[in-house]
Amino acid sequence: MNRNLAVNELIEWQSESDHFTERIVWIDEGYVLAYVIDIFSENGFPYKRTIPQIAEAIESGLATVLEKDPWGKMVLEEDIPENAKAIRDKAWKVIETLAIQENEPQIYKREVRGPLVQEIAKEFGTTDKTVYRYLRRYWQRGKNMNALLPDYDKSGGKGKDKAAGEKKRGRPRKHSLMLGNGVNVDEDTKRIFRVAIKRYYYTRKGIPLTDVYKLMIKDYFAEKECAEHGYVFNLDKNIPTFAQFKYWFSKECDIKEKTIARKGLKAYELEHRPILGSSDTDITGPGAMFQIDATVADVFLVSRFNRNWIIGRPVVYVIIDVFSRMITGLYVGLEGPSWLGAMMALANAATDKVKFCAEYGIEIAKEDWPCHHIPEAITADRGEMLSKNVEPMIKALKVRIQYASPFRADWKGIVEQHFRILHKRVKPFVPGYVDKDFRQRGARDYRLDAKLDIYQFTKIIINCVLFHNNEHYLSSYVRQLGMIEDDVARVPIDLWKWGIVNRSGRLRRESEDIVKLNLMPRYKTTITGQGIKFKNMFYSCESAEKQSWFVKARKKNWSITVSYDPRNLNYLYIPDEDGHGFEKCFLLPKSEERYTDKSLDEIQYLLDYEKLEEESSSDRVMLGELSLFDNIQTIVTEGETMTAATKSEQSNNAKLKGIGNNRKWEQEELRKLQAYELDPKDTTDIQTEAEVKIENQDSNPLLELLTKKQEERDYESRQ
């Protein structure tokens, strides 16, 4: 028994020989017997099926339950034309007494239905055929009054393909005698159109539609013949025209499918998709959501250390509060786009802006840039923010990260729009700005116009930010009802201040050091007997010395997690478990000389270079070892041969007892062989630096001492 089926359910049947759709118009109380009708049959009436039969067909895949009803259009009563209502109401009045529930299932039986229909037809002065047509439409289209509405939407053939007869449709050709009458586009021709469009147009090659048409004519409508100088094509006059081809293309073309096929899904999502949402949907107040993004500025800079050095284009990171459009964080540098650049911008968002601007010689009041907070959430790219480096910030600072989908930078529309405005403001004034014709043939090389260093360019960006926050009018900003009532200007600083007072903002204050601590990369290091080991460097800290970490580590090593700034590894930081405290580690003396003031990249390069040297010398070491082994084996063989040639009558016991005497005798002989004998003549032509200095002195006590020692040795040898 299957009670999932219901009246008006549509069952689509599919087999190798047939395909049709039935509507269930009645089911008995025991869910055993049902009456169904083919919804597209022009002459059909309801007939019997069993519920188990339908259920078994659905389970085996011979039938499926349709979700979409082809006749199930929703029509509002006020939208129905009066003449259509009149036709519907007239038809319903005719069959109303037949279609009532009390007549089911008897009305579905032919022997019962026939006399009733004849009686109704006679009563309303119509034909049996008309009554049958009303009933059939009523049952096929869902058993409701609107099923009897006329199909005016199909009248006149609007949007409907016309049948292709022998007579040419459309405007006759002016020069039909020369060009032919043309052809009608029948189903076979449309099938060729579809194949050609799929083969040549829906590709990444970007073939124009005119060329697609020509390729189609070549493949399907031209005759290829062999001629003296290769192949030639012959065309019939009566072939589809480009106008016909273009008409059917535009009729069947799916804009989304076309764009994806020719430009790719990434381009469609970024440039062609419909924009139905908003970046500030569900944003409750300041700090509820920040957006962060980076761009490579279209300007070349010079070095602060040597203004003849062109150092390329800087990276600008900007963080914007979605609610108010206030720029809350900024970084201009040469890092990135990378986690290091994002780290700098996020740290700047929590930094006192009065102090920050003072570093660049810009004096501001606190109310000019009152942003030194961390938000509830951040929207970012999946690149630099999609890494384990962001995990401490999420855990310790309770900041939620939302990622834009790949190639969907438009989801960060607010910050993206700011970059466009920023470039527009900077371009007219900054030398070295890259224009659209950069690197085109004959264009000026803008790199040679570079005049500003990164410090000066940062000052320009800071001034642009101050203008944006305090003066820029947001013409496209949609104010909330409360903002309108309070007459709040669409300027970021005014929206920010209003949001702080009137909305449950999510802004939070945190120590700059704690923010930086949780933004810095983390690494699991090892406590060893030599110190806290990090990338072949060794550190110590106050706790390590007080608690004798390194003494304990000589028996067993263990690991700890540290935070570090990859730009300078003079210090490591051991964060507390909650991320709101830390202990500072310093380089031990054995690592200071080699690694002080070095960046992680510099240190890693040194370690990699030394590793390369070690690996490159492995062949040399191997050859040396082979030579060493050969020499040792030669000497051993020589010794074994000499020992084997010496015959001894001594027993093994006697040999072992004589080791002491043998050693003493050998020692005396070695002393005689190894004793020094100095010859004064050998020293006349060899002078050390010390001896040269002694010659320049009035007295030479060292030489006198050596002479005395030599005389004593000569005397002893003569005795």
Side-chain angles (χ1 to χ4, degrees):
M1 185 182 299
N2 190 329
R3 294 184 179 274
N4 292 326
L5 297 174
V7 173
N8 263 337
E9 201 95 67
L10 292 179
I11 311 297
E12 184 179 45
W13 296 79
Q14 289 184 338
S15 65
E16 295 182 359
S17 59
D18 205 0
H19 175 256
F20 55 94
T21 302
E22 295 175 343
R23 183 186 301 278
I24 300 175
V25 294
W26 181 82
I27 300 176
D28 72 349
E29 293 182 359
Y31 269 78
V32 176
L33 183 66
Y35 275 92
V36 299
I37 186 171
D38 186 332
I39 66 172
F40 296 114
S41 174
E42 295 181 359
N43 301 304
F45 288 100
Y47 48 89
K48 292 180 182 179
R49 279 198 188 275
T50 66
I51 294 296
Q53 177 190 10
I54 300 174
E56 183 179 350
I58 293 173
E59 187 175 349
S60 64
L62 294 176
T64 56
V65 178
L66 290 185
E67 298 292 335
K68 186 176 181 181
D69 189 338
W71 302 115
K73 294 185 294 183
M74 181 177 179
V75 182
L76 298 176
E77 188 69 17
E78 57 266 26
D79 293 338
I80 302 175
E82 291 301 322
N83 57 343
K85 288 181 182 178
I87 294 173
R88 177 197 65 184
D89 295 344
K90 178 183 175 182
W92 175 248
K93 191 174 183 180
V94 171
I95 66 169
E96 183 177 8
T97 57
L98 299 177
I100 59 176
Q101 189 175 1
E102 287 75 5
N103 286 338
E104 293 179 315
Q106 300 302 319
I107 193 65
Y108 303 127
K109 299 176 181 178
R110 182 177 180 178
E111 61 275 14
V112 175
R113 182 172 60 243
L116 292 175
V117 168
Q118 291 176 1
E119 184 179 338
I120 290 294
K122 186 176 180 180
E123 179 183 346
F124 286 93
T126 186
T127 64
D128 295 355
K129 186 176 180 181
T130 299
V131 178
Y132 281 130
R133 179 163 51 86
Y134 290 161
L135 280 173
R136 184 182 301 111
R137 177 182 285 245
Y138 175 75
W139 290 326
Q140 286 178 328
R141 300 193 179 191
K143 299 178 69 177
N144 61 75
M145 283 183 60
N146 284 341
L148 301 171
L149 286 169
D151 294 331
Y152 282 163
D153 58 325
K154 297 181 180 178
S155 300
K158 183 179 180 181
K160 183 177 181 181
D161 294 350
K162 310 300 186 295
E166 294 183 1
K167 185 178 178 180
K168 173 68 172 68
R169 298 192 307 264
R171 177 177 57 84
R173 293 183 176 179
K174 288 183 179 180
H175 307 287
S176 58
L177 293 177
M178 297 179 60
L179 301 177
N181 293 323
V183 296
N184 287 323
V185 177
D186 56 15
E187 287 300 321
D188 290 337
T189 306
K190 285 189 282 186
R191 192 177 300 111
I192 293 174
F193 285 177
R194 296 186 188 104
V195 171
I197 289 169
K198 185 175 181 180
R199 178 182 298 173
Y200 297 118
Y201 191 79
Y202 287 151
T203 69
R204 301 296 286 273
K205 296 179 180 179
I207 301 175
L209 193 63
T210 52
D211 290 346
V212 174
Y213 169 74
K214 295 171 186 176
L215 290 168
M216 177 193 69
I217 296 297
K218 179 182 75 70
D219 290 346
Y220 297 101
F221 297 97
E223 294 182 0
K224 187 176 181 182
E225 294 183 359
C226 183
E228 183 179 354
H229 301 291
Y231 290 98
V232 295
F233 291 95
N234 295 321
L235 294 177
D236 192 326
K237 292 181 180 179
N238 294 321
I239 62 173
T241 64
F242 176 70
Q244 289 175 312
F245 177 70
K246 184 178 180 181
Y247 168 78
W248 287 104
F249 168 76
S250 60
K251 188 179 179 70
E252 298 190 353
C253 172
D254 185 313
I255 297 298
K256 179 178 179 181
E257 179 186 2
K258 166 190 168 183
T259 306
I260 293 174
R262 290 174 68 84
K263 295 187 177 181
L265 180 61
K266 301 167 186 174
Y268 172 80
E269 290 286 353
L270 185 60
E271 300 173 7
H272 302 277
R273 66 173 185 87
I275 302 174
L276 306 177
S278 173
S279 293
D280 55 3
T281 304
D282 300 326
I283 300 301
T284 57
M289 176 70 70
F290 284 0
Q291 288 185 358
I292 178 173
D293 201 7
T295 187
V296 179
D298 291 335
V299 61
F300 281 89
L301 303 180
V302 298
S303 170
R304 294 188 68 187
F305 305 100
N306 186 332
R307 303 194 78 86
N308 291 317
W309 296 348
I310 302 173
I311 62 172
R313 297 156 63 181
V315 177
V316 180
Y317 265 93
V318 168
I319 300 178
I320 290 184
D321 173 58
V322 172
F323 177 85
S324 65
R325 308 302 197 261
M326 278 283 283
I327 297 178
T328 61
L330 175 68
Y331 169 70
V332 181
L334 303 178
E335 302 290 351
S338 65
W339 169 252
L340 191 56
M343 178 184 79
M344 296 292 292
L346 291 166
N348 181 261
T351 298
D352 181 357
K353 299 306 188 296
V354 175
K355 177 182 175 183
F356 169 67
C357 291
E359 295 175 0
Y360 292 88
I362 301 174
E363 294 185 8
I364 64 169
K366 188 174 182 179
E367 55 269 20
D368 293 334
W369 199 353
C371 305
H372 41 79
H373 311 85
I374 55 177
E376 181 181 41
I378 296 175
T379 300
D381 276 332
R382 301 175 69 87
E384 56 265 29
M385 297 292 285
L386 190 61
S387 72
K388 63 180 181 180
N389 292 324
V390 80
E391 293 176 3
M393 180 176 67
I394 297 173
K395 180 180 178 182
L397 302 181
K398 304 296 187 293
V399 176
R400 179 167 45 87
I401 304 297
Q402 291 185 187
Y403 298 108
S405 294
F407 303 97
R408 289 298 303 276
D410 53 302
W411 281 9
K412 306 187 306 302
I414 296 171
V415 68
E416 290 285 333
Q417 176 64 22
H418 175 73
F419 283 137
R420 288 191 285 272
I421 296 173
L422 181 66
H423 286 153
K424 184 177 179 180
R425 288 174 179 155
V426 169
K427 179 180 178 179
F429 308 102
V430 176
Y433 194 91
V434 181
D435 217 330
K436 292 181 179 179
D437 62 349
F438 178 53
R439 289 190 176 177
Q440 291 184 9
R441 187 173 182 179
R444 175 169 177 74
D445 194 334
Y446 299 99
R447 293 173 293 185
L448 300 175
D449 293 334
K451 297 292 186 296
L452 301 178
D453 59 39
I454 198 165
Y455 179 84
Q456 294 162 335
F457 184 71
T458 303
K459 289 179 67 175
I460 292 175
I461 299 300
I462 291 175
N463 279 284
C464 289
V465 169
L466 292 172
F467 171 81
H468 170 87
N469 285 348
N470 295 279
E471 309 295 341
H472 179 61
Y473 188 81
L474 304 168
S475 57
S476 60
Y477 187 93
V478 180
R479 292 185 298 174
Q480 300 175 7
L481 183 60
M483 296 176 181
I484 298 173
E485 293 174 351
D486 293 340
D487 196 22
V488 179
R490 284 184 278 189
V491 176
I493 188 67
D494 295 321
L495 297 171
W496 173 276
K497 291 178 180 178
W498 186 91
I500 296 294
V501 174
N502 296 278
R503 288 289 180 264
S504 55
R506 308 297 186 187
L507 296 171
R508 290 175 289 134
R509 289 294 309 275
E510 188 61 80
S511 162
E512 290 183 29
D513 282 348
I514 297 302
V515 172
K516 292 174 182 177
L517 173 74
N518 290 285
L519 290 174
M520 287 192 292
R522 294 194 174 184
Y523 187 83
K524 185 170 284 190
T525 63
T526 305
I527 306 296
T528 71
Q530 302 177 63
I532 303 172
K533 186 179 181 181
F534 176 82
K535 303 285 186 182
N536 277 13
M537 296 172 283
F538 292 93
Y539 296 79
S540 183
C541 63
E542 186 176 349
S543 294
E545 295 180 355
K546 286 183 177 180
Q547 300 173 20
S548 303
W549 285 4
F550 309 138
V551 176
K552 299 174 183 176
R554 296 190 66 178
K555 294 183 178 180
K556 184 179 180 180
N557 295 346
W558 70 92
S559 299
I560 61 168
T561 299
V562 298
S563 296
Y564 65 95
D565 187 339
R567 296 163 298 183
N568 189 312
L569 291 173
N570 290 351
Y571 304 101
L572 298 180
Y573 307 91
I574 304 175
D576 293 348
E577 188 173 350
D578 61 0
H580 285 78
F582 62 91
E583 183 164 359
K584 194 172 184 178
C585 304
F586 52 87
L587 277 170
L588 287 171
K590 58 185 173 183
S591 297
E592 278 184 331
E593 181 180 357
R594 183 175 164 92
Y595 299 115
T596 297
D597 296 333
K598 298 295 191 303
S599 70
L600 179 61
D601 289 339
E602 291 173 320
I603 294 169
Q604 194 61 55
Y605 178 83
L606 173 62
L607 297 177
D608 290 344
Y609 180 78
E610 290 179 342
K611 182 66 175 178
L612 178 63
E613 279 189 325
E614 180 182 346
E615 292 176 354
S616 62
S617 64
S618 60
D619 290 346
R620 177 181 174 185
V621 173
M622 176 65 74
L623 292 173
E625 287 181 332
L626 294 177
S627 179
L628 172 63
F629 296 160
D630 184 65
N631 291 335
I632 292 173
Q633 288 177 343
T634 300
I635 296 170
V636 169
T637 301
E638 180 185 356
E640 289 175 344
T641 303
M642 294 174 64
T643 303
T646 304
K647 295 183 179 181
S648 175
E649 301 296 334
Q650 283 186 310
S651 64
N652 291 338
N653 189 39
K655 288 180 179 180
L656 295 175
K657 288 184 177 180
I659 289 177
N661 293 330
N662 295 341
R663 178 184 177 86
K664 186 175 181 181
W665 187 89
E666 189 77 14
Q667 187 181 48
E668 291 296 330
E669 293 300 315
L670 284 175
R671 285 177 177 176
K672 294 177 183 179
L673 293 173
Q674 297 173 353
Y676 295 142
E677 181 177 353
L678 305 181
D679 187 351
K681 296 178 181 180
D682 294 338
T683 64
T684 55
D685 297 327
I686 301 175
Q687 291 182 313
T688 65
E689 183 179 351
E691 290 172 337
V692 171
K693 291 180 180 179
I694 292 173
E695 286 183 353
N696 296 328
Q697 298 177 356
D698 295 338
S699 61
N700 194 338
L702 180 58
L703 182 58
E704 292 177 358
L705 178 60
L706 290 173
T707 303
K708 183 176 180 181
K709 290 291 184 181
Q710 180 64 39
E711 290 175 352
E712 292 176 353
R713 183 61 182 258
D714 291 343
Y715 176 78
E716 290 177 356
S717 63
R718 289 195 296 269
Q719 299 299 317

